[in-house]
Amino acid sequence: MQNNRITELFGIEYSIIQGGMVWVSGYKLASAVSNAGGLGLIGAGSMYPDVFREHIQKCKKATNKPFGVNLPLIYPDIDKMVAIVIEEGVQVVFTSAGNPNTWTSKLKAHGITVVHVVSSIKFALKAQEAGVDAVVAEGFEAGGHNGREETTTFTLIPMVKEQISIPLIAAGGIASGRGILAAEVLGADGVQIGSRFAVSEESSAHIKYKELITELQDGATQLTFKELAPVRIVKNNYYQKLLDLYKTHPTKETLQVFYNEAKLKTGIFEGDVVDGKIEIGQIAGLIHQVQSIKEIMSDMITEYQAVKKQLN
Ligand SMILES: Cc1cc2nc3c(=O)[nH]c(=O)nc-3n(C[C@H](O)[C@H](O)[C@H](O)COP(=O)(O)O)c2cc1C
């Protein structure tokens, strides 16, 4: 993998970013990815402010390589989280789920590199105008919350590439060296990976969650809750109950109650994989074992180089 705009922007060896993930990406995962030459991100979305600060401090001790944080902008105490980022001297912030205009200039005024996650050309342009240093364009294959339009990574990346001039990071459906190379061919300068890293030893997800994902095949997830905020979840018992609810033509309020009742913590962190809400990407079908971050990174990079050589 060659040096490019992304490796230079973050001062990392490989243009591979570990996406921020609620209940999954604490300092152990983030520091492991950074130590392996990528960019690890602490996912602030599932942390209280004091826990978030603790993870940043532990991450600084666990790695001397660059790392960052993901701040979902809908977070209720977002101003507190931004204050912590600045106080702790965090150098890189990936914002998602919100308006990039709100915090970008403040973060940049403190010398922080800011990247925003988008799912369309419109929002990529908006992020570029807001002054971010790069965008993550995330296709509908991705785990977690997603765009309403179901635009796939394969179509989104070249379309966004055509419109923006700042560095472009592809996300959604990438979990292998082949995937990374494909994203580059489509015009990406780097990749953000979630699902495959969620099934690592260093991920803080429950072992039952990790084991479930290794057994999934194609078609095992569905993008749903489109009336609220679209999210990709596993078709387990919880999903069946949701389908039953949809048959009754629920109001948005009823759907919201159903959504709020099932906590992601119960499914991902505590391991209730049958009745819990389980987020993972479509690429789950390619993830067959729980591995260490070192193994995952080395597998992906070796495959990337081998496939590239073959093509040449
Ligand atoms: C369990 C889980 C939790 C996630 N939580 C967040 C989050 O808190 N903030 C965010 O911006 N993206 C979140 N994501 C999306 C990832 O950061 C990443 O962009 C996505 O997983 C990439 O697609 P992939 O799963 O196909 O690799 C989450 C994804 C998963 C699987």
Side-chain angles (χ1 to χ4, degrees), residues 35-54:
N35 282 332
L39 183 75
L41 302 182
I42 296 172
S46 50
M47 296 179 182
Y48 289 117
D50 54 336
V51 175
F52 179 49
R53 188 189 292 278
E54 199 182 310

Side-chain angles (χ1 to χ4, degrees), residues 90-104:
V90 172
Q91 297 294 309
V92 177
V93 173
F94 278 50
T95 55
S96 55
N99 185 345
N101 278 312
T102 326
W103 292 102
T104 302

Side-chain angles (χ1 to χ4, degrees), residues 5 116-121 124 135-142 150-174 179-192:
R5 295 198 289 175
H116 190 65
V117 183
V118 301
S119 58
S120 68
I121 298 172
V135 291
V136 174
E138 188 176 57
F140 129 110
E141 300 94 322
E150 305 199 349
T151 311
T152 60
T153 305
F154 207 92
T155 56
L156 183 64
I157 300 308
M159 289 194 287
V160 172
K161 175 72 183 172
E162 205 175 60
Q163 302 274 338
I164 66 164
S165 55
I166 55 175
L168 170 60
I169 299 163
I174 303 161
I180 297 170
L181 189 59
E184 277 185 11
V185 172
L186 291 174
D189 301 288
V191 295
Q192 171 166 297

Side-chain angles (χ1 to χ4, degrees), residues 244-252 254:
D244 291 342
L245 179 64
Y246 269 122
K247 282 184 199 150
T248 68
H249 305 290
T251 60
K252 212 172 153 183
T254 309

Side-chain angles (χ1 to χ4, degrees), residues 193-212:
I193 291 175
S195 295
R196 181 140 189 211
F197 288 140
V199 188
S200 64
E201 286 165 10
E202 292 86 346
S203 141
S204 56
H206 196 281
I207 184 66
K208 282 193 186 157
Y209 167 93
K210 298 177 191 174
E211 284 170 357
L212 169 81

Side-chain angles (χ1 to χ4, degrees), residues 2 26 32 44 60 68 102 125 144 151-152 176 182 185 192 198-200 233 268 270 286 297 301 309:
Q2 284 160 354
K60 284 189 222 166
T102 326
L125 288 169
T151 311
T152 60
S176 63
V185 172
Q192 171 166 297
V199 188
S200 64
I233 56 172
I268 300 177
E270 295 171 350
L286 197 68
M297 288 289 285
I301 292 157
K309 201 169 157 194

Side-chain angles (χ1 to χ4, degrees), residues 229-258:
V231 62
R232 180 170 296 287
I233 56 172
V234 171
K235 294 176 182 169
N236 60 1
N237 207 25
Y238 171 78
Y239 176 72
Q240 285 308 321
K241 284 186 194 156
L242 174 61
L243 288 187
D244 291 342
L245 179 64
Y246 269 122
K247 282 184 199 150
T248 68
H249 305 290
T251 60
K252 212 172 153 183
E253 290 70 30
T254 309
L255 207 55
Q256 186 73 58
V257 171
F258 184 85

